[in-house]
Structure formats: structure tokens, C-alpha cells
Amino acid sequence: MKNKIIYILGGMAVIAIVIVVFISIKQSSADIKPRVNTPSLKTKLQLCPDEWIDNQMPSTDLKKSETQYFIFNGKRRELNEFDVEWIQKNCSLKKQVVY
């Protein structure tokens, strides 16, 4: 009888340990922030944009450092979304400088 109680308590302890380990693993994996799909983390587009704009207009916005961008399907898209080397080799596209 005493051995039976010890086995039951031991089994319950093992189950409790397994549950605690499982919960801690699940929480630690939830704490890991998923990667944001930024262009540097995913494959860059190898498509020919409609236009390549180099905006040389003076600006007072000190945060605005990127002056070049593409027009793709009628919308502005940033250079870092595209494989620029591929575009230079495969697309007949000239930079349009605007002032």
C-alpha cells in the first residue's frame, strides 16, 4: 500500500515536471519576436519597375535621407525592395532626375 502511494506520487511528480517544462518552452518560444518581413530579410524583387526617380529637390526634412525610389504599377516603391543590380542589367530603365 505504501509503495503504491509512492508510485502514484512519483508519477504525478513526473507529469507535473513535464507540464512545467512544456509550458516554459512554449513561453520562451512565444517571447521570441517573429522576424518582420523587411526587404533585407526576404528575397528582393527582380522585376522591372516603370520608372526610377532621383529626387534632388531641396528638403528641410532631416529624416528624409533616401532620395531615389522606383515607380512600380503606379506606386512609389523603395530601392531596398528591389534587386537593383538585376534591374540595371535586365531593364531598359534610366534614372529620371527631378528638381
Side-chain angles (χ1 to χ4, degrees):
M1 176 84 170
K2 203 174 197 180
N3 286 341
K4 190 174 184 181
I5 293 174
I6 292 174
Y7 287 129
I8 291 173
L9 290 176
M12 290 173 69
V14 168
I15 291 171
I17 291 171
V18 168
I19 290 172
V20 168
V21 168
F22 177 75
I23 290 172
S24 68
I25 289 173
K26 188 155 179 89
Q27 284 180 342
S28 67
S29 66
D31 291 340
I32 298 172
K33 293 181 181 176
R35 289 186 176 182
V36 177
N37 284 337
T38 59
S40 61
L41 297 176
K42 63 182 180 180
T43 306
K44 294 192 176 205
L45 298 173
Q46 292 184 340
L47 301 168
C48 291
D50 305 322
E51 297 177 69
W52 185 342
I53 306 295
D54 183 2
N55 184 358
Q56 295 298 314
M57 292 281 290
S59 175
T60 58
D61 186 1
L62 299 176
K63 295 178 185 176
K64 186 178 177 182
S65 60
E66 193 60 45
T67 61
Q68 294 185 37
Y69 57 92
F70 292 120
I71 301 295
F72 184 72
N73 291 335
K75 295 184 180 179
R76 177 184 171 138
R77 301 285 296 268
E78 302 305 320
L79 262 61
N80 64 1
E81 297 177 55
F82 290 82
D83 184 343
V84 176
E85 288 181 31
W86 185 91
I87 289 171
Q88 290 173 332
K89 291 177 186 173
N90 297 291
C91 303
S92 57
L93 191 64
K94 302 241 183 213
K95 255 188 244 184
Q96 296 181 25
V97 180
V98 294
Y99 296 97

